[in-house]
Amino acid sequence: MNPKALHKIGYGVYIVSSRKGERLNGQIANAVFQVTSDPPTVAISINKKNLTWEFIKESRVFAVSMLCEGTPMTFIGLFGFKSGRDINKFENITYRIGETSAPIVLDNAVAYLEARVTQEMDVGTHTLFVGQIVNADILTEESCMTYDYFHQIKGGKTPKTAATYIAEKPEVKPPPPLKSEVKGDMTKYQCKVCGYIYDPSQGDPASGITPGTPFSALPDGWTCPVCGAAKSDFEEVK
Ligand code: FE
């Protein structure tokens, strides 16, 4: 089996959110799809280890915000690489409480829906929640971020808890260039928290770091654009 074939399935990048009592939480998900139109129904696949899973299990409601292409990686990092067990993800973002009482994330969202769970299926590591849509709307006409765009253009990574995670085999590296070919230090560094790779040839334009900036020249206050980890959480890619 070639698991890479599964990368050819198209997805989007969404925030699935829910609540438990007064607590709100949400997470990045890509496995969201419409299953019927009458009644309008969607299915989502959520990892049982995630706090959002616990919240949906109890409240039986969830909201989905479809993110735009321009969504900053730090925003995706907040919802995708941090746990609501450690922080309140809703503290500094714009959201509103929907008809179902689920929180609807509005920042960077082109559209949203909210649903009530009608069925669920245990699929091992994940639960497939099927929900009847009770409310949905378009917020802007911006383009939606596809999962492909997230990986190819934004350099995004997939956490192990994602429904579509596939373990990557280590790459076979070409031999290092001769000293005379090295222009500046182009060594790549990887975030130990989320797997993001800082590539000096790309820089980090979203944080004002121009292409060609070696890792060692990054300011001390620079943080991982995906998960917000400190510079000290990076290690050299060998
Ligand atoms: Fe990171």
Side-chain angles (χ1 to χ4, degrees):
M1 185 183 93
N2 180 0
K4 292 234 158 126
L6 303 178
H7 286 164
K8 303 297 180 194
I9 300 174
Y11 297 96
V13 180
Y14 312 109
I15 291 177
V16 170
S17 46
S18 188
R19 75 183 300 147
K20 185 179 184 181
E22 288 311 302
R23 288 175 69 198
L24 310 177
N25 197 50
Q27 62 158 81
I28 297 287
N30 54 284
V32 174
F33 59 100
Q34 185 173 355
V35 286
T36 62
S37 58
D38 188 17
T41 304
V42 288
I44 58 173
S45 180
I46 301 291
N47 193 296
K48 291 176 184 171
K49 290 181 185 157
N50 290 355
L51 188 63
T52 306
W53 178 89
E54 228 179 276
F55 284 21
I56 297 171
K57 214 43 191 164
E58 176 157 317
S59 66
R60 318 303 294 169
V61 297
F62 62 87
V64 178
S65 298
M66 299 72 157
L67 298 181
C68 69
E69 278 186 356
T71 305
M73 288 304 272
T74 45
F75 190 78
I76 294 176
L78 170 67
F79 282 95
F81 287 94
K82 292 189 177 170
S83 172
R85 293 186 178 97
D86 306 322
I87 56 161
N88 174 9
K89 299 183 186 184
F90 284 75
E91 197 170 2
N92 295 309
I93 65 148
T94 313
Y95 67 94
R96 72 175 168 77
I97 300 301
E99 282 177 33
T100 59
S101 83
I104 301 165
V105 174
L106 301 174
D107 284 335
N108 305 302
V110 297
Y112 68 85
L113 62 84
E114 49 175 323
R116 282 186 203 286
V117 174
T118 53
Q119 293 180 61
E120 63 176 80
M121 184 192 281
D122 186 327
V123 276
T125 54
H126 288 64
T127 297
L128 194 65
F129 291 105
V130 174
Q132 192 169 326
I133 300 172
V134 299
N135 182 26
D137 208 355
I138 290 175
L139 299 167
T140 77
E141 290 301 333
E142 267 181 82
S143 300
C144 269
M145 191 187 294
T146 63
Y147 207 48
D148 198 44
Y149 184 93
F150 170 67
H151 284 286
Q152 304 301 327
I153 311 294
K154 309 281 272 189
K157 300 286 167 194
T158 305
K160 284 189 180 153
T161 50
T164 54
Y165 176 75
I166 296 174
E168 283 176 31
K169 291 198 183 118
E171 277 178 55
V172 178
K173 295 269 164 38
L178 296 172
K179 281 261 191 277
S180 59
E181 291 171 7
V182 179
K183 290 173 192 154
D185 183 1
M186 290 292 112
T187 310
K188 293 177 184 170
Y189 281 75
Q190 183 165 30
C191 174
K192 288 187 274 186
V193 179
C194 73
Y196 164 83
I197 292 175
Y198 176 76
D199 179 353
S201 70
Q202 309 283 316
D204 176 15
S207 306
I209 306 295
T210 51
T213 307
F215 183 79
S216 58
L218 292 172
D220 287 340
W222 178 83
T223 55
C224 172
V226 176
C227 71
K231 202 179 157 185
S232 54
D233 287 322
F234 278 67
E235 62 190 359
E236 193 178 327
V237 177
K238 296 216 171 95

